[in-house]
Every structure is written in structure tokens, then in C-alpha cells.
Amino acid sequence: MILIEELFARQILNSRGEPTVQVDLKLNDGSVVRSSVPSGKSRSSHEATELLDKDFGYYFGKGVTHAVTNINQIISPRLKKLDPTEQFQIDRILLELDGTPNKAHMGANAMLGVSMAVSKAAALLKAVPLYEQLNELFIKVPALDIHEEAIKLPPDITKPALPIPAFNLINGGAHADNTIVIEEYMVIPAGIERMADKIRAGAEIMHALKGILKKAGKSTNVGDEGGFAPSLESSIKPLEYIVEAVKQTNYALHNEVMYALDIAGAKVPEDFYDTILKDYPILSISDAYGEEDWERFSSLNQKYPDLFCTGDDITSTNVKRLYQAIKTDAVDCVTIKPNQVGTVTETLQFAKIAKDAGISLFASHRSGETNDMFIVDLAIAIGAKFLKGGAPNRGERVSKYNHLLEQAERFEA
């Protein structure tokens, strides 16, 4: 029987040049799989703990050698000779080893790196794409609804499906050194049928936007997620530039291309949402308010039923936060970020509870990324409506869109 031989972790750099965790999982037949963990800059206070060394003379306190040591010295010996197809059992062991409510002991970065590697090893053993292995887990994962009853989703809700990519073309907030308070201005080619054409649209609009910004005398330097990071005079101006780019590339607003914003709880004028939703084809607004502002989330969600009122910081891939969101009707879409919670099992449980409640899923990368494509396979596995991967620019973002293109061949043949 093929079992886990050992895990070996190392410290590598993410796309911001900051340390993160990489994990190699070796099976007793000699085969090896690898995972690496992303890191967010704009974080909710409810996210699981990213274990950092806090030695400010070493990588300014952002080293992850303690997390690496936890894997090599504590987790690896405990998982030796276990079956990697037993994802739920292994994730339970990780939670027991940690023993804290927010992964403060082992570190969510250590635990997720291991959990992801285990799912990849299972896919390798079964000779199936990673999304198929994750989908099998999604179907099987036990989860309870808000009434504490076991969830059983019908097959049409649990089948894998391609997400619609959301391209972050203008960066602001914590993701860029500019005057824009809103974190992400995205284009979503929701009305374009084939994945290759969706990604083509994102790339062409990005290149057109670059020319428009240059002509206007604005910076075309990019932010953490690959989108342009000019300093602009208002929160509306980025939308105006993107409208011009869409028109220049001959895509049809409303019918082919729509917009999405990630506000990240930034302060915007009182009438901002009413204004932009009247003037622009906006499909989703994420974190329109602060992470504890349940009442205003609920009001926005009820006022605009055709809008995906998306929760990110407010729900934090956290089941308890999701239950509250369901009870208050605060959101009709939630962001899925595995490193907010720390294991594959918990991520899948969150997604299952959301789907059972009729809430759509918005799978997401983080601003500090690696070339690991796990989030793409996860998005397909859980049938996420959208996938946020940044701009079609910078290697760690493009690798995900290229992987999505490759997987689309299986669905669109």
C-alpha cells in the first residue's frame, strides 16, 4: 500500500518577496508532490493565524521558520505511514496537533501547506486531476446547516464546473502605493462563452487600458496583484478608464463584460453604491462595509437582489461567520480563501454550507502568491461561480489562468 513516507518543508518567497511555506510530500513509492501557501496583505481579524517568526532582524519579522520547523519536526513524524487518501482523518490530526481555535500553535500556513499536499498526493495515487479529487471530497465532506442538520446536496449542485475569471485590472488600497482607496477594480467576461475567449478578453482589455492610462499621463506600474496602480482623483475614475478600454476592444458592456469591485471595507461616499450601480454594469461588490457591519450588508443585499453582495472579511472562510451571514441575509456570495481557515476539509465544509444556503462562491487567490495552482482546481471542484486570480499579468497570476485554460479543455471539448 502506498503511504506517506515523509514531509519536508522549506521557506521560499512569495510574489511580494516575503517568506512563505513550501511543502514536499514524499510517498513510500518515491513519488513527490509539492504545495506552497499564499499570504494576504488585506486581512480580516477573523482569519486563522499565519505563524510568523516576528524576529524583526530577519525578513522584518516575516520569516516562517517556526512554521517550517513545526512541519518537519512535529507534523511529518505524526503523518508517516498514513494513507493520503484519508484527507478528513489527516486534517483532524492537524487540528489536534494545533489545539487552538485559530491555528496559533502550528500555524495555518503550516497546516494548509500539508493539507494541500495531501490532496495532491491522493490525486496522484488515483491518477485523476486534482479538481476531481477535491470534488470527491466536497461531495463526501460532512457539514451541518444552521439548524444543525446534515447537509445533502443534489448532484447538480456538487458537480465540478468552470468558474468565470475575474481580472483585477486596477489595484488600490493595501495592494498598491497610490491614492485609490478601493482595493480592486475587476472585469468579468460573464457573457462570453468559451474560457479561451474569456481570458483573451481580460488580456486585451488590460492592454488597451495600459495604452489609455499612458495617454492620460498616468502610471502603468502594477500593484501586488498585477493590475495597474495609478493615482487617480476619485473612486469613479478607474471605472471610467475601464469603460474606455472595453469599448476600445469592441466588447459589449452588459452583454459580454461586466465589472466587480472589492472595496475591502474602505470608506466611500454615502451615495457611492447607488451611483455606480445606476451608471455601470457591476456584477459583484465585495466587502462593501467593515467586517462587523452586518446591518448595512443586509440592507445592500436586500436593496440590490441582482447584485452579488459578496462577503470576504466579514465571513473569512469561517463557518461560524457564515452561519451568522446566513441568519442575517448579509450576503448572497462568499469569497473562498483556504488560508483564511487552514485546512482543505474546513474550506470544503464552508463551501458546502454556503451552497446549501443558496450562496454563490467566489474562489480567490491572495496578494502574496506563488505559482501553486491549487486555487484553480478548488474553484472547479466546488463549482465556484467566479475565480479571482489577479490581472493576466505577472507570472504567479498568469500561471493560474493558464492552468484554467488547460482544465477548460476537459469541459469544453
Side-chain angles (χ1 to χ4, degrees), residues 79-372:
L79 300 189
K80 184 179 176 67
K81 294 185 179 180
L82 293 187
D83 182 353
T85 66
E86 296 293 336
Q87 182 82 46
F88 304 148
Q89 176 195 355
I90 290 173
D91 284 346
R92 278 195 299 271
I93 291 170
L94 293 176
L95 292 171
E96 289 166 4
L97 287 173
D98 177 74
T100 72
N102 63 346
K103 282 68 173 189
H105 180 45
M106 287 289 112
N109 45 346
M111 294 169 67
L112 181 62
V114 172
S115 189
M116 289 164 56
V118 168
S119 67
K120 291 182 179 184
L124 179 67
L125 285 182
K126 295 177 183 180
V128 298
L130 178 56
Y131 74 79
E132 285 191 16
Q133 168 62 15
L134 293 172
N135 179 254
E136 179 183 327
L137 294 173
F138 180 54
I139 292 168
K140 292 179 178 178
V141 70
L144 301 177
D145 65 17
I146 59 172
H147 306 295
E148 298 186 350
E149 296 180 356
I151 293 172
K152 293 183 179 179
L153 296 177
D156 62 315
I157 301 296
T158 58
K159 68 181 181 181
L162 294 174
I164 303 170
F167 301 100
N168 179 10
L169 297 190
I170 293 184
N171 294 184
H175 294 164
D177 185 17
N178 61 12
T179 58
I180 300 173
V181 298
I182 292 175
E183 206 157 85
E184 300 179 30
Y185 292 80
M186 293 168 273
V187 295
I188 300 183
I192 296 174
E193 185 176 351
R194 295 184 64 82
M195 186 59 66
D197 294 325
K198 292 179 192 291
I199 292 176
R200 173 190 167 196
E204 289 181 348
I205 293 168
M206 178 192 70
H207 287 295
L209 178 61
K210 181 176 184 178
I212 290 164
L213 290 171
K214 286 184 74 172
K215 187 176 180 181
K218 304 298 182 182
S219 171
T220 55
N221 291 336
V222 299
D224 284 351
E225 298 187 352
F228 302 115
S231 287
L232 300 175
E233 55 270 29
S234 74
S235 296
I236 299 287
K237 200 65 181 176
L239 289 170
E240 294 176 357
Y241 282 127
I242 295 173
V243 165
E244 190 176 346
V246 172
K247 289 180 177 178
Q248 191 176 106
T249 48
N250 295 317
Y251 290 104
L253 283 171
H254 297 274
N255 292 332
E256 291 182 315
V257 175
M258 300 184 75
Y259 304 137
L261 302 180
D262 186 349
I263 309 296
K267 291 183 178 180
V268 293
E270 191 66 32
D271 63 345
F272 181 72
Y273 298 125
D274 291 332
T275 299
I276 62 171
L277 289 168
K278 175 173 61 73
D279 294 341
Y280 299 94
I282 294 177
L283 192 58
S284 168
I285 294 178
S286 178
D287 279 350
Y289 305 106
E291 63 186 48
E292 302 298 337
D293 204 339
W294 297 97
E295 186 175 338
R296 287 206 289 175
F297 265 92
S298 298
S299 296
L300 184 69
N301 193 27
Q302 292 161 21
K303 185 175 182 179
Y304 292 102
D306 294 331
L307 173 73
F308 285 97
C309 184
T310 303
D312 182 355
D313 291 350
I314 196 170
T315 46
S316 299
T317 320
N318 179 298
V319 167
K320 290 182 180 179
R321 303 285 295 179
L322 177 58
Y323 285 151
Q324 187 170 353
I326 294 168
K327 291 173 183 176
T328 58
D329 193 26
V331 300
D332 57 10
C333 184
V334 288
T335 303
I336 305 287
K337 293 176 176 176
N339 79 319
Q340 286 183 326
V341 66
T343 66
V344 170
T345 297
E346 291 168 291
T347 303
L348 296 174
Q349 286 173 326
F350 180 91
K352 196 166 199 173
I353 295 165
K355 278 208 157 185
D356 178 65
I359 293 174
S360 297
L361 308 179
F362 206 137
S364 176
H365 66 162
R366 299 306 300 258
S367 58
E369 265 297 341
T370 73
N371 286 330
D372 196 304

